[in-house]
Amino acid sequence: MKLKGRLDHVSSIGIYVSIQDEVETEEIIQYCFDHGIHVHVPKVEGKNIHFYEIHAFSDLIPGVWSIPEPYGTEPETDPSSIDWMLVPLSAFDAAHHRTGYGAGYYDRILPYCRHKTGIAFSVQEVDDIETDPWDEDLDEIITEQ
């Protein structure tokens, strides 16, 4: 992923903490810590995700489905204040449509985000994704190629 140079232009990032077969985000998060970029990660609360700033990996504990999430609850970050939101996905198409993992957490928060980017492996690209009115498109998709 060629994200590091682009991170020089942001002061805050919203990013998921990767699990299983997702694009690994630990290196990106560490880069942000090392370069003074504010890191905000999601926490599942009911049917929604809320973002909280973390300052170290030690600020995370296993949450819903054992996904690492911040253990603190204050203060919540307004997603519209985050410069760049990096979004997980299970599949995407050339029109920047995405599918997630079925719960709609990101679809509910993406309308409030300034710039939203999916990060994926190129093998996750499909010809076409049928969308529903509530599905949110991304501004771009970045892959390893």
Side-chain angles (χ1 to χ4, degrees):
M1 300 276 155
K2 297 176 180 159
L3 294 175
K4 291 180 185 171
R6 296 181 63 184
L7 289 168
D8 295 338
H9 306 289
V10 299
S11 63
S12 63
I13 189 168
I15 188 167
Y16 64 96
V17 181
S18 57
I19 60 167
Q20 299 171 352
D21 295 330
E22 294 175 327
V23 170
E24 173 60 53
T25 59
E26 184 175 318
E27 186 178 320
I28 299 165
I29 294 169
Q30 187 62 54
Y31 180 90
C32 292
F33 290 152
D34 294 345
H35 291 84
I37 299 168
H38 297 270
V39 176
H40 307 269
V41 298
K43 179 176 185 174
V44 173
E45 297 175 330
K47 294 186 179 207
N48 295 300
I49 54 173
H50 298 273
F51 281 78
Y52 298 93
E53 185 170 4
I54 62 168
H55 303 281
F57 287 105
S58 59
D59 292 341
L60 300 169
I61 60 171
V64 176
W65 304 294
S66 298
I67 298 170
E69 59 183 33
Y71 62 80
T73 57
E74 296 294 331
E76 179 183 342
T77 304
D78 178 349
S80 68
S81 71
I82 297 172
D83 293 331
W84 197 15
M85 184 67 70
L86 294 180
V87 180
L89 49 86
S90 59
F92 68 95
D93 65 18
H96 301 159
H97 301 133
R98 67 176 281 277
T99 59
Y101 299 99
Y105 293 115
Y106 277 91
D107 287 319
R108 287 189 284 282
I109 201 164
L110 287 176
Y112 306 101
C113 298
R114 291 188 211 171
H115 188 79
K116 43 200 181 262
T117 299
I119 54 176
F121 297 107
S122 56
V123 298
Q124 291 174 272
E125 185 170 6
V126 298
D127 290 335
D128 185 50
I129 292 177
E130 187 175 322
T131 61
D132 290 309
W134 56 83
D135 290 331
E136 287 292 321
D137 294 342
L138 300 172
D139 297 317
E140 65 181 331
I141 312 285
I142 298 175
T143 69
E144 78 281 6
Q145 295 185 347

